[in-house]
Amino acid sequence: VAVAREPPSGPWPNWEAARLEEPLHKALKRGNVRKRQQRQQQQQEQEQQEENRRSTADEGERYRGLAREALRPRVGFLTSGCFSGREGFGVGCGAVQVSAFMRLLQEQRQ
């Protein structure tokens, strides 16, 4: 069987009529795509900054609440402190309020 190497004869399709007519996609041009990406990035950064502001405000409120509700009453303050390798725990020098310290000692004895 011989295979014809020439295209078959007959009416050729009208390629111009078969071509789709589409409007220009200006939104997909490179410059417009870059601008859109930059706007999206700026919006994300603004949202992130607002979220950071809200979270830092919440943390501040939380820490203020902790300051009001301390785990232990304040009896004094340290002037210096460090970890002692010899003692195996932290040591420090400071001042203690006698009345608050005596109250704590009495509570521990009970």
Side-chain angles (χ1 to χ4, degrees):
V1 176
V3 177
R5 293 187 184 250
E6 298 292 324
S9 61
W12 293 102
N14 186 356
W15 294 112
E16 293 299 321
R19 188 170 295 180
L20 293 175
E21 301 261 343
E22 293 185 31
L24 290 176
H25 297 288
K26 291 184 180 179
L28 298 178
K29 288 191 173 184
R30 197 176 299 157
N32 293 338
V33 170
R34 281 189 196 136
K35 288 177 187 176
R36 190 177 329 116
Q37 288 173 345
Q38 287 174 351
R39 272 188 257 128
Q40 289 174 349
Q41 187 177 11
Q42 288 172 352
Q43 287 175 348
Q44 289 174 351
E45 289 172 358
Q46 289 173 352
E47 291 172 359
Q48 204 171 30
Q49 288 174 352
E50 290 175 17
E51 185 177 324
N52 289 343
R53 284 186 206 128
R54 280 189 233 119
S55 65
T56 53
D58 293 343
E59 287 176 11
E61 287 297 320
R62 185 176 62 181
Y63 289 128
R64 282 188 213 107
L66 287 175
R68 286 187 218 118
E69 301 173 12
L71 297 175
R72 301 178 190 163
R74 187 180 310 161
V75 295
F77 60 92
L78 286 176
T79 55
S80 64
C82 64
F83 183 82
S84 171
R86 172 188 265 182
E87 301 294 328
F89 53 84
V91 295
C93 296
V96 177
Q97 185 181 5
V98 175
S99 60
F101 190 67
M102 292 303 293
R103 193 174 344 113
L104 284 175
L105 285 175
Q106 289 174 355
E107 288 176 7
Q108 286 181 359
R109 287 182 185 165
Q110 294 175 357

